[in-house]
Amino acid sequence: MSEDYQALSSATLGARLGGVDALTSRLGPDASSWSVREVGDGNLNLVFIVEGSEGAAVVKQALPYVRLVGESWPLPLTRAFFEYHALTRQAARDPGRVPEIYHYDEAQALIVMEYLTPHIILRHQMMAGRRVASLGRTIGAFCARTAFRGSDLSMPARDKKADVALFSGNVELCDITENLVFTEPYFDAEMNRHTSPQLDAVVAELRQDEQLKIAAQHFKRAFTARAETMCHGDLHTGSIMVTDEAARVIDPEFAFYGPMGFDIGMLLGNYLMAYLAMPGHLADNDARTAYQDWLLEVAVDTWTAFADNFAELWQTERTGVLYPKTLYEDQGHYLASDAALREVLGEIFADALGFAGIEMHRRILGLAHIAEFDTIEDADMRAPLEEAALRLGRTLVLSRNGYAGIDQVVAAARAAGRGGKP
Ligand code: SR1
Ligand code: MG
């Protein structure tokens, strides 16, 4: 393949990648017989499923611009580099949870990886009202393992600092989050959109809310400055692929070193939006109520698994420079170690709720919406569901330090779903 970057197409992929051993050894040597489908439905990249007589693979290639917007918004190809490095770290920190990488071509900004089948995107599974066994436990463990093992609680300081330096190059992707997530939803920015006129009043109210804007910037400051661990960076329900039995995490191109509560917070926000949007997807009352209960169970299980796994790693893998055992256990101060762990988890929980609320706002007020709301065609049906999410998001951000545990968050979500005060 030439060194000059060129975007692939379904028509050219076979000819251009027919010499890549990682593909021919899995799919079969005759590239002209491969079937190639472009299936990318995300906001940024090309994604191809390539099938041959002997097997299949996914080829993901970055485009030099934001696919959602077009060539008017250039975006560096280096995001494939950060995705590749993030996948290798996630694979080491939670083995088996991310797709296996078969081949990486930096110049072409492409990654050849495992084809997850019969997996579908979790967001679609949820809109169809289908469960996933052990979802919360699986993903909560992923969040805890990647958070802990990518931090100064675990990594040698030199490795951690080198990794922070490496990922600090992911400037443009962080810039997207800094603007689209933390800033633009809170004023009348050009690319924003919302359900109008139904939501105009509540949107104006939120944008006048000075406490909310201050809190959102506190969280943006944490995002930019608190390099605690390698975050996935975009862990919503479109970044998880599932069957009814299993879940895998994909798409970490937004990876950066940031706060430990960022990934799990974004994800909790997406679960809560899926919960609140459900009246737009399941018409049968009993089926909907049962499914909504399951979604909230997933939120509880995710946080509980996060806390349990984090606590286990605190006991067994605390080899980094932070809260060293020399200061606690080795001095017989076991209770102090437990107290420190509780305080760290308490901070992560409050941060997660703040990030969850902000994610809920940006998905309703900003540029990049979610299918749970956008596919509800009747705006008069959609708007009150979105309003409930906006109000719940505000409460989570502003009252983040007042929740005793995840059960209280679930109670607030239920109240919001009933149209009450969250
Ligand atoms: C311009 S990119 C918009 C959004 O798509 C990605 O999936 C991220 O969530 C980003 O914020
Ligand atoms: Mg993505």
Side-chain angles (χ1 to χ4, degrees), residues 1-6 16 105 107-108:
M1 215 164 161
S2 87
E3 277 303 297
D4 292 337
Y5 170 86
Q6 237 189 315
R16 291 189 57 210
D105 182 331
Q108 297 302 324

Side-chain angles (χ1 to χ4, degrees), residues 194-410:
H194 66 260
T195 302
S196 180
Q198 290 88 340
L199 289 184
D200 288 355
V202 63
V203 172
E205 197 187 306
L206 288 179
R207 290 184 179 151
Q208 288 304 315
D209 188 328
E210 295 180 6
Q211 289 309 313
L212 182 61
K213 290 204 290 189
I214 292 170
Q217 290 303 299
H218 287 331
F219 281 103
K220 184 175 178 179
R221 181 161 55 93
F223 177 90
T224 60
R226 234 190 309 130
E228 290 180 339
T229 192
M230 192 198 77
C231 301
H232 175 287
D234 197 26
L235 191 59
H236 51 78
T237 50
S239 297
I240 298 176
M241 294 197 72
V242 297
T243 65
D244 293 351
E245 314 295 335
R248 308 282 292 274
V249 176
I250 62 168
D251 263 7
E253 68 205 311
F254 282 78
F256 72 111
Y257 270 77
M260 290 196 183
F262 185 74
D263 285 343
I264 190 162
M266 274 216 157
L267 188 58
L268 288 174
N270 278 267
Y271 292 158
L272 296 176
M273 287 188 283
Y275 168 80
L276 291 169
M278 226 50 225
H281 300 286
L282 286 186
D284 179 83
N285 279 337
D286 291 344
R288 183 175 67 247
T289 303
Y291 193 72
Q292 285 181 303
D293 286 346
W294 180 78
L295 286 171
L296 294 181
E297 252 172 53
V298 170
V300 171
D301 288 351
T302 302
W303 174 257
T304 306
F306 181 92
D308 289 351
N309 280 275
F310 197 94
E312 188 188 325
L313 293 168
W314 181 276
Q315 302 304 343
T316 57
E317 293 188 17
R318 205 165 84 249
T319 52
V321 294
L322 288 183
Y323 307 89
K325 290 197 170 184
T326 39
L327 261 191
Y328 299 99
E329 285 83 349
D330 294 355
Q331 309 299 326
H333 292 166
Y334 297 99
L335 293 179
S337 171
D338 292 347
L341 167 63
R342 270 198 310 279
E343 288 182 18
V344 169
L345 280 172
E347 271 177 30
I348 296 173
F349 185 60
D351 282 353
L353 299 186
F355 289 124
I358 289 168
E359 168 71 357
M360 293 165 79
H361 290 158
R362 73 96 167 209
R363 293 296 188 182
I364 297 167
L365 306 178
L367 167 73
H369 286 213
I370 55 169
E372 281 91 331
F373 290 128
D374 271 14
T375 57
I376 302 173
E377 280 180 17
D378 178 353
D380 288 328
M381 175 175 213
R382 182 171 72 241
L385 306 177
E386 291 179 316
E387 178 166 353
L390 290 173
R391 293 198 184 283
L392 176 59
R394 176 184 179 278
T395 303
L396 293 178
V397 172
L398 294 181
S399 304
R400 60 192 179 277
N401 293 308
Y403 291 93
I406 189 71
D407 290 341
Q408 286 187 359
V409 175
V410 162

Side-chain angles (χ1 to χ4, degrees), residues 10-82:
S10 301
T12 62
L13 188 143
R16 291 189 57 210
L17 299 186
V20 173
D21 284 350
L23 276 169
T24 51
S25 63
R26 286 180 174 85
L27 273 58
D30 178 12
S32 66
S33 70
W34 293 350
S35 110
V36 184
R37 282 177 293 142
E38 206 280 312
V39 295
D41 68 348
N43 294 330
L44 300 181
N45 306 298
L46 295 170
V47 181
F48 301 90
I49 295 172
V50 192
E51 292 176 283
S53 54
E54 293 167 30
V58 160
V59 176
K60 178 172 178 179
Q61 187 181 36
L63 287 164
Y65 54 85
V66 174
R67 183 175 184 165
L68 172 72
V69 174
E71 296 186 29
S72 61
W73 186 343
L75 199 62
L77 299 170
T78 48
R79 63 189 186 273
F81 170 89
F82 294 109

